[in-house]
Amino acid sequence: MKKFLFLTIYTLLTISAFNQKYTISGYIKDKKSGEEIIGANIFVKNLNTGTTTNAYGFYSLSLPKGKYSIVFSFLGYKEEEVNIDLSSNQNLNISLESTAIITTEVVVTGEKKQNIESSKMSVIKLPVETIKALPAFMGEVDIMKTIQLLPGIQAAGEGNSGFYVRGGGPDQNLIILDEATIYNAAHLFGFFSVFNADAIKDMEIYKGGMPAEYGGRISSVLDISMKNGNMKNYEFEGGIGTIATRLTVQGPIKKDTASFLVSARRTYLDLLINPFISDSSRFKGSGYHFYDLNLKLNYRFSDKNRLFLSAYYGEDVFSFKSKEAGFDMNIPWGNGMLSLRWNHLYSSRFFSNTTLVASDYKFRTNVKMADENDQNGGFQFIQNSGIRDYYLKQDFTFIPNPKHTIKFGGSYIFHIFTPNSVSAKFNDIVYDLNTKAKQYAHETAIYIGDDFKINKKITLYGGIRAATFNQIGPFTRYVKDEFLLTNIDTIVYGKSESVAFYWSLEPRASMKISLDQNSSIKASFMQNKQFIHLASLSASTLPTDLWVPCSDVVKPQMGRQYAVGYFRNFFKDHYETSVEAYYKKLFNLIEYADGALPGDDVADNADNYFIFGDGYSYGLEFFLKKRTGRFTGWIGYTWSKTERTFPDVDNGEPFPAKYDRRHDLSLTSSYQINEKWSASMVFVYATGNTTTLPIGRYMIDGEIINEYGRRNSYRMDPYHRLDISVTYINKKTDRWESSWNFSVYNVYNRKNPFFIYFYRSGTVTDGTYINYAKQVSLFPILPAITWNFKF
């Protein structure tokens, strides 16, 4: 018996020693700045396998004992090849040297195959340098407008930074900056995004196949990472453009240990114009501006512990004054966020990230009208709305071997919603409308997902997310009559008393099957629920829109999406192509009821004026990308159909969504002419937006009454536009770089439709009545010039 036990133990130990694997792990950084590189590639030549760095530049790879040749690479950097004799766990940090891709076709080992070898689909990663190379609206580089050029993603309108993904609404996109939710991602009523490209390091968008670590929205995730700050040297970067100026400063606090980044941007037209407006002008004091501030601090205690502090604040301020009318209006709105993250490495295969976030969005209107007889008196009106979150998130990554990457964790969010709160004052009389009551909710989630490489051809991702949402008191429910005219009852909930509780299970799955070394097919499925909603009276997002929680009236929105795709690379991976088909079903969508007006929900519940319905969207997406060399760019085309069905609209008959567009085409290209000159262009074409117009007019009791057609039954003219830009580098040394960018928006001055309005002339009684329809277009041809510098 003892001999048997001895032989058994000896055999198990021998097998274990024979199969024993060791782990090589570390961080991949930019050699010049010390900035971690997200998505860098680690490729083992001997085994034809590898991995990529995570969002913090960390990688981990477990291999059997032996000698290996490992290549570390990332597009735009020189490859680093290291030979190792792996007989124990090793920590290996790599610094890659940046290289300019101008005259040669550079092929990056490992990276070239990610689009066909990864189990991820419907996900696109765009380097910030690619975004900066494209023509910019009014000279302002805009991340949000760039993603609108990708297949499956549509612009909300002319010049607008809002976007729709595969038939979903603008509130169904989760936008996060360093793990913090950004609720309003636009300045100037949507014409510029809040993200200053100089402060951004990486951007990734999921149109489908969303991993289990993401939740809370049912259409897409836009995950944006700020730069950490230069660990080696002080660096100044900025620019002066047509409407705004910006400056970014970064550098080491303690070399290779701690760094900082501060970035600021502000429009200045108001500063330039105001001095030329005379004090006697009726509109002296009117103006508009926006600004952004980004801050990042990080401290590396060791390779196992690191701390990041990120902050952002941006605000728009619109003011209008009329001395003649005694009218003074001030409307500020903006986002703020603070994110604290702790990275900890428990072992070479077990990575964790702990995040604390405070996020705030607020909108305020302050209107004053002076009393002719009392300059200190008059009427004052103040409106406030917004949402504030306090957020705790714990994420773990466990890599037991090269075949499995397991991610799991959980999160908790405390939401504070401020509905339309209104107060008023007339002379010394204060009107208390009792509308300052906030709404509160708890949201929790846990998740787990595993990316499993079954063999060289098949990779399977499976994940599940469980979430809960609980609206709590204090809260007052106003029960309306069937015509929404009178309150017939009130229900009062005490502090922390449950108003409504919801839960969800959200499965996620995707699969990749390699057909050969250059092609693969993929499929994905995801199901999500969304517990907070954006209530909008307009077709595009505006700062006046309200974020509202699920309640006893509003049920969670739910999305279920299926997708399949074919991916192939050509000509030694210099070209990437893909074709994806998707079908998305949406449930419990919300809209305002016909006739609802801003302010109806004052001293009331906003959800009393909502109607609910379902929807669906399906489409085909084509993508062709040239990724290396002097000439780069892509062509994206989407064919899609999106419809909604609401029982209270058109007798429950389906109608096209506002952003239903049958065809959407985008073409981008950049060409490096020589070391000093480069050029780029963007062309877009899209089927016209839908709208609802009158189909007839009648005179009843002397008044003309409009009869409207079915919802969104009229389609406006197609949208198309060409933008071009040229960049000239007038000086470039190791210490100083200066360039001029010349761009033209809407080169051939296309008058694209923004909206249609009607006016009339004459009278019915004398037979001269004529009704006219007029199209309003926003932007003609717009040239812009920007001076950029870096030292």
Side-chain angles (χ1 to χ4, degrees):
M1 182 67 177
K2 289 182 179 180
K3 288 183 179 180
F4 175 75
L5 289 173
F6 174 78
L7 289 172
T8 302
I9 293 172
Y10 177 78
T11 302
L12 290 173
L13 289 174
T14 302
I15 294 173
S16 176
F18 181 77
N19 291 326
Q20 187 170 4
K21 293 186 176 182
Y22 299 102
T23 301
I24 178 173
S25 62
Y27 293 86
I28 299 182
K29 306 176 183 180
D30 181 291
K31 187 174 183 178
K32 185 178 180 181
S33 68
E35 186 89 29
E36 286 74 17
I37 300 175
I38 301 172
N41 300 276
I42 302 91
F43 185 72
V44 184
K45 281 188 172 182
N46 316 52
L47 302 178
N48 198 31
T49 188
T51 187
T52 59
T53 56
N54 67 7
Y56 300 94
F58 176 77
Y59 74 94
S60 176
L61 192 60
S62 296
L63 302 169
K65 179 179 179 181
K67 296 181 179 181
Y68 298 97
S69 178
I70 302 180
V71 178
F72 299 87
S73 63
F74 191 67
L75 189 64
Y77 288 81
K78 293 180 180 179
E79 288 185 355
E80 185 81 18
E81 186 169 342
V82 178
N83 296 313
I84 64 168
D85 187 354
L86 192 61
S87 57
S88 63
N89 292 337
Q90 292 188 25
N91 181 263
L92 182 60
N93 296 327
I94 297 293
S95 295
L96 297 181
E97 185 177 354
S98 178
T99 180
I101 303 175
I102 298 178
T103 59
T104 59
E105 293 285 334
V106 177
V107 179
V108 182
T109 306
E111 193 272 343
K112 62 186 181 180
K113 298 291 186 183
Q114 281 301 309
N115 66 309
I116 57 176
E117 291 187 349
S118 171
S119 63
K120 292 181 180 179
M121 71 174 297
S122 306
V123 57
I124 297 178
K125 200 179 188 76
L126 279 181
V128 172
E129 294 308 314
T130 298
I131 297 171
K132 287 185 174 183
L134 297 176
F137 176 66
M138 297 296 290
E140 286 299 302
V141 175
D142 197 321
I143 289 175
M144 307 292 279
K145 286 189 176 63
T146 303
I147 67 171
Q148 296 169 3
L149 302 174
L150 300 171
I153 303 175
Q154 299 174 343
E158 171 76 282
N160 202 295
S161 291
F163 62 99
Y164 306 99
V165 178
R166 291 182 171 177
D171 66 324
Q172 296 170 1
N173 305 312
L174 177 64
I175 302 174
I176 51 180
L177 176 66
D178 277 2
E179 300 284 355
T181 302
I182 302 297
Y183 283 98
N184 183 35
H187 287 305
L188 190 57
F189 304 100
F191 294 115
F192 298 97
S193 81
V194 300
F195 302 111
N196 181 354
D198 289 345
I200 301 303
K201 175 169 67 174
D202 184 79
M203 182 207 73
E204 191 171 41
I205 184 163
Y206 291 86
K207 302 179 293 181
M210 195 184 296
E213 58 262 33
Y214 295 112
R217 302 294 187 276
I218 61 176
S219 279
S220 75
V221 175
L222 177 59
D223 193 348
I224 300 172
S225 300
M226 286 172 54
K227 293 177 180 176
N228 292 330
N230 196 315
M231 280 277 195
K232 305 287 187 181
N233 303 291
Y234 292 102
E235 186 177 301
F236 299 82
E237 181 179 8
I240 300 174
T242 307
I243 67 164
T245 188
R246 63 190 193 280
L247 176 66
T248 300
V249 182
Q250 57 180 314
I253 299 172
K254 182 179 180 182
K255 196 170 183 178
D256 295 325
T257 301
S259 67
F260 75 94
L261 178 142
V262 178
S263 185
R265 176 178 62 161
R266 191 194 191 279
T267 55
Y268 48 70
L269 286 179
D270 60 319
L271 301 178
L272 297 177
I273 294 173
N274 280 340
F276 299 98
I277 300 178
S278 66
D279 292 336
S280 60
S281 171
R282 293 182 300 168
F283 304 111
K284 179 69 174 178
S286 298
Y288 168 82
H289 71 272
F290 70 76
Y291 64 90
D292 299 300
L293 294 171
N294 295 80
L295 171 68
K296 185 76 169 282
L297 301 173
N298 83 91
Y299 190 91
R300 186 177 67 86
F301 296 94
S302 66
D303 279 343
K304 289 191 174 182
N305 289 282
R306 192 163 184 176
L307 203 64
F308 300 87
L309 178 66
S310 306
Y312 167 79
Y313 187 78
E315 187 176 49
D316 293 63
V317 179
F318 173 75
S319 59
F320 178 80
K321 291 185 178 181
S322 173
K323 290 185 178 181
E324 188 178 73
F327 183 82
D328 185 353
M329 179 172 63
N330 184 263
I331 306 178
W333 70 93
N335 296 279
M337 76 84 171
L338 188 67
S339 170
L340 180 66
R341 291 172 293 162
W342 171 45
N343 288 174
H344 180 64
L345 197 61
Y346 288 96
S347 72
S348 58
R349 295 182 292 172
F350 193 22
F351 179 90
S352 80
N353 181 63
T354 305
T355 305
L356 291 170
V357 171
S359 176
D360 185 49
Y361 169 68
K362 58 186 178 182
F363 173 84
R364 179 181 175 88
T365 302
N366 190 345
V367 178
K368 296 180 181 179
M369 296 187 69
D371 190 329
E372 294 181 1
N373 301 316
D374 182 5
Q375 293 300 316
N376 296 319
F379 177 78
Q380 183 176 9
F381 170 88
I382 300 174
Q383 177 192 22
N384 291 283
S385 64
I387 178 172
R388 178 176 295 177
D389 289 346
Y390 297 100
Y391 193 118
L392 171 64
K393 189 167 184 276
Q394 180 65 61
D395 300 293
F396 297 99
T397 302
F398 178 53
I399 309 173
N401 54 58
K403 292 189 174 218
H404 291 273
T405 300
I406 301 170
K407 295 184 179 182
F408 62 97
S411 63
Y412 165 76
I413 308 175
F414 181 57
H415 298 287
I416 303 175
F417 300 86
T418 302
N420 265 332
S421 77
V422 176
S423 62
K425 180 181 178 182
F426 183 69
N427 292 332
D428 294 328
I429 303 173
V430 177
Y431 296 90
D432 183 5
L433 301 180
N434 193 29
T435 61
K436 296 182 180 179
K438 293 178 169 56
Q439 293 175 253
Y440 306 90
H442 302 290
E443 184 174 352
T444 64
I446 56 174
Y447 73 89
I448 186 170
D450 182 18
D451 198 31
F452 176 30
K453 297 178 182 177
I454 298 174
N455 53 44
K456 289 184 178 181
K457 287 186 173 293
I458 302 175
T459 301
L460 178 67
Y461 174 83
I464 191 164
R465 183 182 182 91
T468 67
F469 185 88
N470 187 19
Q471 185 196 355
I472 60 170
F475 175 71
T476 301
R477 164 60 62 195
Y478 297 94
V479 182
K480 313 290 289 187
D481 63 20
E482 61 176 319
F483 302 107
L484 302 178
L485 297 175
T486 308
N487 292 335
I488 60 175
D489 195 9
T490 58
I491 303 173
V492 179
Y493 296 87
K495 184 178 181 180
S496 299
E497 185 179 354
S498 179
V499 178
F501 179 83
Y502 299 97
W503 63 277
S504 71
L505 284 177
E506 303 172 11
R508 319 283 174 83
S510 61
M511 181 177 64
K512 180 271 302 182
I513 301 176
S514 296
L515 302 179
D516 53 41
Q517 290 186 347
N518 296 311
S519 64
S520 64
I521 56 173
K522 301 182 185 183
S524 69
F525 168 80
M526 72 174 190
Q527 179 173 296
N528 301 34
K529 280 193 178 180
Q530 180 170 329
F531 300 108
I532 65 174
H533 322 278
L534 187 67
S536 176
L537 284 167
S538 64
S540 59
T541 57
L542 292 174
T544 52
D545 297 340
L546 291 178
W547 285 97
V548 294
C550 282
S551 65
D552 51 333
V553 172
V554 180
K555 304 299 187 289
Q557 295 184 65
M558 187 174 78
R560 188 178 295 134
Q561 183 181 146
Y562 308 84
V564 62
Y566 173 71
F567 300 79
R568 185 173 181 83
N569 290 1
F570 294 93
F571 303 110
K572 296 182 180 180
D573 301 298
H574 296 313
Y575 290 84
E576 297 177 3
T577 61
S578 65
V579 180
E580 294 188 43
Y582 70 88
Y583 177 82
K584 179 191 287 185
K585 183 68 176 174
L586 301 168
F587 305 90
N588 300 327
L589 303 176
I590 71 170
E591 285 194 14
Y592 272 106
D594 287 339
L597 298 172
D600 281 349
D601 54 347
V602 173
D604 204 338
N605 305 124
D607 54 21
N608 281 332
Y609 300 89
F610 295 163
I611 57 175
F612 307 94
D614 299 331
Y616 69 86
S617 180
Y618 57 86
L620 280 172
E621 300 169 1
F622 301 86
F623 190 58
L624 169 63
K625 180 181 180 182
K626 171 72 163 55
R627 43 186 302 279
T628 60
R630 288 190 177 205
F631 178 80
T632 58
W634 69 80
I635 300 173
Y637 170 75
T638 305
W639 183 97
S640 63
K641 185 175 183 179
T642 303
E643 289 194 334
R644 301 286 187 257
T645 304
F646 282 70
D648 296 311
V649 177
D650 292 339
N651 299 315
E653 293 294 320
F655 61 90
K658 175 71 180 176
Y659 33 88
D660 170 56
R661 296 176 195 156
R662 203 67 68 242
H663 306 283
D664 208 308
L665 172 71
S666 62
L667 169 64
T668 76
S669 65
S670 299
Y671 182 65
Q672 189 75 44
I673 301 170
N674 53 43
E675 291 186 355
K676 286 188 173 291
W677 289 94
S678 63
S680 63
M681 75 92 159
V682 168
F683 174 76
V684 294
Y685 173 90
T687 302
N689 280 344
T690 61
T691 190
T692 307
L693 297 180
I695 59 174
R697 281 181 166 81
Y698 305 94
M699 178 170 284
I700 300 177
D701 296 331
E703 292 188 13
I704 296 177
I705 305 299
N706 292 324
E707 178 189 358
Y708 285 88
R710 296 186 58 183
R711 177 75 66 94
N712 295 337
S713 57
Y714 179 83
R715 193 172 292 276
M716 291 190 283
D717 289 342
Y719 180 98
H720 52 88
R721 190 190 78 242
L722 174 67
D723 308 331
I724 60 172
S725 75
V726 176
T727 299
Y728 172 67
I729 301 175
N730 61 320
K731 187 173 183 180
K732 185 173 184 180
T733 65
D734 291 339
R735 294 186 178 182
W736 172 264
E737 180 177 328
S738 173
S739 66
W740 290 90
N741 178 267
F742 308 91
S743 64
V744 180
Y745 180 90
N746 195 6
V747 171
Y748 51 85
N749 200 30
R750 162 72 173 174
K751 291 180 172 56
N752 286 300
F754 187 63
F755 66 84
I756 295 174
Y757 73 95
F758 290 84
Y759 75 96
R760 60 180 182 261
S761 64
T763 63
V764 176
T765 54
D766 61 9
T768 60
Y769 177 85
I770 301 177
N771 197 52
Y772 299 91
K774 285 286 187 177
Q775 172 185 295
V776 174
S777 300
L778 282 184
F779 300 117
I781 180 172
L782 290 174
I785 182 171
T786 305
W787 175 59
N788 298 302
F789 61 87
K790 186 175 182 180
F791 60 93

